[in-house]
Amino acid sequence: MSIRFTRARGGLSSWPVAIVLVFGLVACSGGGGSDDDKPDVSAAASKSSESKPDAQEEDSGQTLAELKGPSGLFLRITDSERDAGGFITIGGDLKNDGEKTVNVPAQLSGNETEIIKNGSSLGGATLVDPKGKKRYYVLRDTDGRPLTTTNFPALKAGESLPVFMQFPAPPADTAEVTLQLPMFTTGTIEISG
């Protein structure tokens, strides 16, 4: 990536802005620690804003679980990664297998006021550790926003949307968890990593 600076008329008035931009790029480029140790929440979030992946993307990856929902909605789980930070990221595709355009139900956000006030999400999802007999809820940021895909568009027939959810990780010896999502069937997922 190259950055080009030009001198503005009337002196160096554009230099402070350029310097801030350069420092911003350097700060955002990372440093300190391995990228393998951190989730790529921004990449997952940007994936969630894409409207329709191509067929090759949709068919890539192993299917870990399939959850059927209302009105032809279908959730295919393809990733379950345990991260060093003490959480697990579940990823996949939410697809409209029906013949009509469908709005993603508000019930998927769950019933907690803190999550609902931040818009539509998968905040109602939970992971159940049958071995440890514990239930894990979707993580939230400091503003109470759930760490999941949010603000779903209406899905046209055949359209799919990449989604993700982050949870506290169960103990290291837990290899399987059950994913529950309001209005959907449940699915057992093997944890990798």
Side-chain angles (χ1 to χ4, degrees):
M1 175 162 119
S2 66
I3 299 175
R4 184 175 174 192
F5 296 103
T6 59
R7 191 172 198 161
R9 282 188 178 171
L12 299 174
S13 62
S14 66
W15 281 102
V17 174
I19 291 170
V20 169
L21 287 174
V22 169
F23 281 107
L25 288 172
V26 170
C28 290
S29 68
S34 156
D35 285 343
D36 296 337
D37 295 342
K38 297 181 250 176
D40 192 357
V41 176
S42 62
S46 68
K47 278 185 181 178
S48 71
S49 66
E50 294 173 8
S51 62
K52 188 172 182 180
D54 62 58
Q56 216 174 24
E57 273 183 344
E58 198 171 315
D59 292 335
S60 68
Q62 173 185 2
T63 299
L64 302 176
E66 296 178 341
L67 286 69
K68 293 183 181 180
S71 306
L73 288 175
F74 180 81
L75 178 61
R76 183 176 78 117
I77 303 299
T78 56
D79 300 307
S80 66
E81 191 72 31
R82 187 188 302 269
D83 296 297
F87 51 88
I88 180 172
T89 303
I90 306 291
D93 296 298
L94 181 64
K95 183 175 183 182
N96 178 1
D97 264 349
E99 297 177 8
K100 297 179 180 179
T101 298
V102 173
N103 289 316
V104 176
Q107 291 89 334
L108 299 186
S109 296
N111 58 9
E112 293 181 50
T113 307
E114 186 75 21
I115 290 180
I116 293 172
K117 75 178 185 180
N118 288 297
S120 62
S121 70
L122 298 175
T126 58
L127 284 184
V128 176
D129 171 7
K131 182 179 177 185
K133 298 182 180 173
K134 289 188 177 179
R135 180 182 307 267
Y136 298 91
Y137 294 91
V138 169
L139 291 170
R140 302 173 201 179
D141 68 12
T142 55
D143 293 324
R145 292 183 298 247
L147 298 182
T148 73
T149 306
T150 58
N151 299 320
F152 300 102
L155 292 176
K156 297 176 184 171
E159 188 174 27
S160 65
L161 177 74
V163 296
F164 79 99
M165 299 160 265
Q166 287 188 332
F167 301 90
D173 63 343
T174 299
E176 285 187 348
V177 289
T178 302
L179 177 64
Q180 298 178 336
L181 190 61
M183 304 178 72
F184 278 71
T185 59
T186 60
T188 301
I189 300 170
E190 283 187 38
I191 301 173
S192 62

